[in-house]
Amino acid sequence: MALSLKPEQIWSTLTSLGFGQVTSSEYPGESAGMLSNYSHWRPIGIATLSHGYGLAVTPLQLAHAYATIGAGGIRRPISFERLGGLPPAPRFRANR
């Protein structure tokens, strides 16, 4: 299934979910994880990427991605403090 998608679509979706970049948490020493640009991908890499190999994400990035998917594509800012209400956030749209 992954090989039927364009590499640009996969990469765009993953980066839109925050993989391969630091979050907005400003947590000291936070890692961006590892997600190479799609121009370096080969078919075997795309196939293994669909199983979770070939990239590295932090637990915070993964939790934020799940929260974005669970909120119907609304990507809320990360906060380590309880907020009084829901802040405005852009809606994530997957490229199809």
Side-chain angles (χ1 to χ4, degrees):
M1 181 180 257
L3 294 175
S4 67
L5 299 171
K6 293 181 182 177
E8 301 91 26
Q9 290 176 305
I10 300 169
W11 185 82
S12 176
T13 300
L14 292 173
T15 56
S16 294
L17 286 170
F19 298 132
Q21 54 199 337
V22 295
T23 65
S24 60
S25 71
E26 298 180 8
Y27 192 77
E30 181 184 6
S31 171
M34 184 190 76
L35 177 65
S36 61
N37 191 286
Y38 66 88
S39 63
H40 301 289
W41 295 357
R42 302 292 173 257
I44 188 66
I46 295 170
T48 58
L49 185 68
S50 69
H51 295 283
Y53 296 100
L55 77 159
V57 301
T58 66
L60 186 57
Q61 287 173 327
L62 189 59
H64 195 222
Y66 276 130
T68 300
I69 293 167
I74 298 174
R75 191 167 182 205
R76 305 218 184 268
I78 293 176
S79 175
F80 292 109
E81 299 177 2
R82 185 177 184 94
L83 301 176
L86 294 176
R91 182 171 290 273
F92 165 75
R93 301 223 185 258
N95 295 334
R96 295 183 185 173

